[in-house]
Structures are given as structure tokens and as C-alpha cells.
Amino acid sequence: MGVGLQTEEITGRARVLDAAAELFVRQGYVGTTLRQIAAATGIKAGSIYHHFESKEALFVAVLNDGIVVMIDAFDEAQSSLAGTDDVAVHVREHVRSHLSAIFENGPYTTAHVTSFFSAPAEVRAAVVPKRDSYEQKWNQLFEVLFPAANTKELRLRRLILFGAMNATAEWFDPAGNLTVDQLATAISDQFLQGVTQYES
Amino acid sequence: MGVGLQTEEITGRARVLDAAAELFVRQGYVGTTLRQIAAATGIKAGSIYHHFESKEALFVAVLNDGIVVMIDAFDEAQSSLAGTDDVAVHVREHVRSHLSAIFENGPYTTAHVTSFFSAPAEVRAAVVPKRDSYEQKWNQLFEVLFPAANTKELRLRRLILFGAMNATAEWFDPAGNLTVDQLATAISDQFLQGVTQYES
DNA sequence: GTCTATAACATGATAGAC
DNA sequence: GTCTATCATGTTATAGAC
């Protein structure tokens, strides 16, 4: 639900969540302490346990919110594309929506893509259902857009695209020369046409 | 130098390094303790300080060895391609060599690609020179292969490709259905031609 | 080169007052 | 809902014996 990011009533729980998400992005799960999260929230470490039963539960909440943001962005993009048939437009718009979730929707999605794999097994297990449902949306999209390819091939292509997109969280600076939109176009073009356009 | 991986004389230092690399891959830097590394080596935690002056220095050594493996693999691939002009062959062979370094050359390279960005700033700074020299090799390769593109474009394409390649460390299972060679072909094809081949 | 022992400190978590 | 105080444990790192 991206708690605390959209409404005025920012509860104490949401403020803890916001602070935690930001710190997890910068320092990872193990590298972030409850004392740091508490300090960033403006409370003391012990008080966090009024909102979450453990550090792991807090992490699960952050990662889950991260996918929810991505899922919402995906659905919105899909709605806005209802009247279009152009494969390239569909791909570009969904790539843009995924990157936008990472760079323009707070730290939740960024925390998800950067620290899902390094999360403790129990945390990953708790997050996997929603994460799977997001991946299924992409798989289904690809099956519609590329009916000539088989499921296995498309899954591989999706993993390659996800790798390229999620890695941007590690090197792309939205305040730099390139905008998120331009980055989305570059990745989408690359995914659709490759680099053959540059061959001499 | 990939210490301890190639010769018979496996020094105590190299055995610590090997154990550390493997644990860093599985648990990350902060998630791995000196006691675990010592136990995996067959010594006690305090003894590690005979070989390395700190945990950070040990991490730096692992990450640096990881790039050295990649650099060696790159140079070898380049030598073996001396007689070929085919752009696709060059790209495929270098992609294969990069993936081979991750999946078939011990845990050093894997540790590098999975935990470079989450490493402490001082560690990253110590590793950056060699890392840069590897990236420059790719940039130079691309400028030769795609003379029609400008430097900025090629840097962006390289980052997209690196994202796709390095992310495989997180999901690809070399013991599964797909071989490393097949994975390399898929990524290389995707990079060169995109998915347009599947468009209806 | 490895050991034991320990210093010095940080961590997640709990209990009970306000 | 937040506080203080504290527990139990784990952490890197050091010192000196063997």
C-alpha cells in the first residue's frame, strides 16, 4: 500500500517504515540497525517493537510494500495502453513504469530490488507470493506481445530484462544527465532491437 | 591472481581467502563473521589476523581477486579471437567469458559482482581502480565493434549488458537445464538483435 | 602460524514505568 | 505510543603463550 506515502495521516508505524526503507536501501538489511531506524524516525529503539514484532517483520513489510508499488504501476501502465497495439509502445511503457517505481516512488521499491536476494530465507519466503504475481504479469504480457516465442524463451528474456532494469538502481543517478524516461527508452530500445543498428 | 586456485602450494592465507570468498557470496559482507571464516578454514578467529590486518582488508583482497579473474578471462578471450572479424562472435565470446568467470572460476568473481555495491565505501574505493580497468576493456571493445555509435551511447549499452550478466549470479543455476554456454548465447543474442525476431 | 583469553563495543530484544 | 534500563549474545580486534 505504500503506507504513509500518499495520505496526510502519517502514523507512527508508517514513519518507522519510511525510515527503515531508506536505510535498508543505503546499508542493506544486516548493515542497518534498529537504533539507526529509531533515530531516523525520531524515537528510541525499544519503541519500534510497539509497531513491529521483530526486525525481520519490519523488513518483510518494507519489501512487500516495494512490490505493491511496482504492481500498481504495472496495472496503471496497462490501463493507459488499452487502445494501443504497438508492441514497442507496450514494452517501453512498462519498462518506464518499472524504472519509475524504482526512482520516483520512494525507497520501498529500490529496497526491494537491491536487497531481496540478500534477505534471510524467511523474509524471502514471506515476500515471494507477491513477487511472483508481479513476475507473472510480465510473463503474461510477453506472451501476448510475442506469440511466436515459447514460454521458456520468454521467461529467459524477462530475466535478462529484469537484470538490466534492476541493476540501474545501483548505478543510475536520476539527478544526472539522463532522465528516467530517457533511460527507459534506452533499455526498451535495447531490449527490442539490440545493438545491430550500430553495426557497420 | 586467484590465489590458491591454481597451484599446489596452498598457503594458509589462500585457504582463508577461499573460505571468505565463498561465505561472502552466500551471506554478504556484514552477514559473514570472522569466526565463520575461521571455522571454514579450520583455524580460530584470532589467527586470521596473522594473514590480514582487518576484515575489510580481507574483503578487499577477495573482491580484487574477483576482477583479476575477469580481466584474465577477458584477455584470453580476446587472444583467441585474433583472427576473427565477426562482431557477433566477439560479443558472444566475451559474454561467455564473463559468465564463465562468475560460474566456473570459483567464488571470487561471484563475490565481486554480488557484493561490490553493498561494500563499505573504503572497500569500494580500494577495488575501483582494477574494476575500472575491466570496464575500460569493454568500452574499448565496443568502440571497435560499433564504430557508428558514440561513446556515451556505448557506455549505456555496456551498463545494460553488465546489469543483465551480473544479475544472473542471483538466479541462474549452472547445474540446471541451461548450460553457461547457452545462457551466454541467449544474452549475447538478446544484446545484439533484441526480441524483434519474435514479433508477429 | 595457530592457539587461548579477553577487551571493548554493538546488536536485537524484553520489561515495566509513564 | 514512547521512554529508560537492561539482558544475553555476538562482533572485531588485540596480547601474549606455544
Side-chain angles (χ1 to χ4, degrees):
Chain A
M1 259 302 194
V3 192
L5 289 170
Q6 73 284 39
T7 66
E8 315 207 7
E9 188 68 278
I10 299 184
T11 72
R13 186 188 143 102
R15 286 176 53 238
V16 173
L17 219 39
D18 280 354
E22 207 184 320
L23 285 163
F24 285 151
V25 169
R26 283 175 16 216
Q27 309 178 332
Y29 174 64
V30 220
T32 302
T33 71
L34 291 176
R35 285 174 172 80
Q36 290 176 323
I37 296 170
T41 312
I43 62 177
K44 301 293 173 184
S47 307
I48 291 180
Y49 288 85
H50 180 75
H51 305 288
F52 300 92
E53 70 172 350
S54 70
K55 189 189 177 188
E56 279 202 358
L58 173 54
F59 195 35
V60 168
V62 168
L63 294 191
N64 252 323
D65 277 8
I67 331 177
V68 172
V69 170
M70 283 197 278
I71 290 176
D72 289 351
F74 187 99
D75 290 343
E76 239 178 84
Q78 204 153 43
S79 298
S80 80
L81 290 164
T84 321
D85 267 27
D86 193 327
V87 170
V89 171
H90 275 261
V91 168
R92 205 211 84 101
E93 197 52 27
H94 278 105
V95 167
R96 199 200 55 70
S97 122
H98 185 97
L99 294 178
S100 169
I102 294 178
F103 295 110
E104 296 165 348
N105 271 318
Y108 291 88
T109 305
T110 319
H112 184 100
V113 301
T114 59
S115 53
F116 172 78
F117 286 107
S118 64
E122 304 86 20
V123 173
R124 280 207 306 278
V127 179
V128 133
K130 263 193 187 116
R131 191 184 158 89
D132 277 355
S133 85
Y134 181 64
E135 289 173 353
Q136 280 315 308
K137 278 173 187 287
W138 276 88
N139 285 338
Q140 281 156 25
L141 173 72
F142 277 13
E143 292 193 359
V144 172
L145 296 181
F146 309 106
N150 70 45
T151 305
K152 251 187 181 172
E153 279 169 339
L154 289 182
R155 199 190 87 98
L156 187 53
R157 302 287 171 147
R158 178 182 62 72
L159 283 163
I160 292 172
L161 176 60
F162 268 46
M165 288 195 297
N166 291 344
T168 62
E170 238 108 51
W171 59 264
F172 178 71
D173 174 15
N177 294 324
L178 215 60
T179 67
V180 172
D181 262 42
Q182 288 171 324
L183 178 65
T185 302
I187 292 183
S188 171
D189 282 358
Q190 171 67 57
F191 181 72
L192 289 163
Q193 299 154 27
V195 283
T196 33
Q197 47 184 312
Y198 292 133
E199 274 190 69
S200 49
Chain B
M1 257 302 194
V3 191
L5 290 171
Q6 74 283 40
T7 66
E8 316 206 8
E9 187 69 277
I10 298 184
T11 73
R13 186 190 145 101
R15 286 176 52 241
V16 173
L17 219 38
D18 279 354
E22 206 185 320
L23 285 162
F24 286 152
V25 169
R26 286 181 5 223
Q27 310 176 332
Y29 174 65
V30 220
T32 301
T33 71
L34 291 176
R35 287 199 241 276
Q36 290 176 322
I37 296 170
T41 311
I43 62 176
K44 301 293 173 183
S47 307
I48 291 180
Y49 287 86
H50 181 73
H51 306 288
F52 299 93
E53 67 173 351
S54 69
K55 189 189 177 188
E56 278 201 358
L58 173 54
F59 195 34
V60 168
V62 168
L63 295 192
N64 251 322
D65 276 8
I67 331 178
V68 171
V69 171
M70 284 197 278
I71 290 175
D72 289 350
F74 187 99
D75 291 343
E76 239 178 84
Q78 204 153 43
S79 299
S80 79
L81 288 164
T84 321
D85 269 25
D86 193 325
V87 170
V89 172
H90 275 262
V91 168
R92 206 212 82 102
E93 199 50 28
H94 278 104
V95 167
R96 199 201 55 71
S97 122
H98 185 98
L99 294 178
S100 169
I102 295 178
F103 295 109
E104 296 165 348
N105 270 318
Y108 291 88
T109 306
T110 320
H112 184 99
V113 301
T114 58
S115 52
F116 171 78
F117 287 107
S118 64
E122 304 86 23
V123 174
R124 279 205 310 277
V127 179
V128 132
K130 262 195 187 113
R131 192 185 157 89
D132 277 357
S133 85
Y134 181 64
E135 289 172 354
Q136 281 314 307
K137 279 174 186 288
W138 276 88
N139 285 338
Q140 281 157 23
L141 173 72
F142 276 13
E143 292 192 0
V144 172
L145 295 182
F146 310 107
N150 70 46
T151 305
K152 252 187 181 171
E153 278 168 340
L154 288 182
R155 199 189 86 97
L156 186 53
R157 302 287 171 148
R158 178 183 61 73
L159 283 163
I160 293 173
L161 177 60
F162 268 46
M165 288 195 298
N166 291 343
T168 61
E170 238 108 50
W171 59 263
F172 178 71
D173 174 15
N177 295 324
L178 215 60
T179 67
V180 172
D181 263 41
Q182 289 170 325
L183 178 65
T185 302
I187 292 182
S188 171
D189 282 358
Q190 170 66 56
F191 181 71
L192 289 163
Q193 299 153 26
V195 281
T196 33
Q197 47 185 310
Y198 291 134
E199 274 190 69
S200 49

